[in-house]
């Protein structure tokens, strides 16, 4: 499709809107025209000891994940060093 065809389509659409032959947005189902009120989210009441347990659990999980990353990184690094050493002096 050339530029002239695109310009023709745009000008035809503008003419239809100016003449009143076409009403814009008639095929909508009406959901966007209705304004819905904002529903405020109410936080549930949680006891401090539950929050403390969650905090401790998250810290423990983060430590384990960090150790796993270090161990896997060390293994991959050693394997790469062994491979490079084998290529260079092999």
């Amino acid at each position: 499709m050339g530029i002239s065809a695109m310009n023709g389509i745009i000008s035809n659409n503008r003419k239809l809107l100016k003449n009143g032959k076409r009403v814009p947005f008639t095929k909508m189902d009406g959901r966007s025209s209705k304004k819905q009120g904002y529903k405020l989210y109410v936080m549930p009441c949680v006891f401090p000891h539950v929050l403390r347990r969650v905090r401790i659990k998250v810290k423990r999980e983060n430590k384990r994940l960090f150790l796993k990353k270090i161990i896997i990184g060390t293994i991959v690094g050693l394997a790469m060093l062994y491979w490079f050493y084998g290529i260079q002096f092999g």
Side-chain angles (χ1 to χ4, degrees), residues 9-70:
I9 291 170
I10 291 173
S11 64
N12 287 337
N13 286 339
R14 284 187 185 143
K15 286 177 190 174
L16 285 173
L17 285 174
K18 284 181 185 177
N19 295 337
K21 294 180 182 177
R22 181 174 159 264
V23 181
F25 306 116
T26 55
K27 296 190 179 190
M28 294 176 62
D29 57 359
R31 276 188 261 160
S32 64
S33 63
K34 296 177 187 174
K35 292 191 175 186
Q36 296 177 350
Y38 178 72
K39 288 178 74 176
L40 187 63
Y41 181 73
V42 179
M43 293 289 290
C45 187
V46 181
F47 295 109
H49 66 277
V50 175
L51 291 174
R52 197 174 308 118
R53 275 193 237 148
V54 169
R55 191 179 308 120
I56 291 169
K57 184 178 177 182
V58 168
K59 283 183 181 180
R60 189 179 307 134
E61 288 176 359
N62 285 341
K63 283 180 186 178
R64 287 181 182 168
L65 185 63
F66 181 69
L67 284 174
K68 284 181 185 178
K69 286 181 180 180
I70 292 218

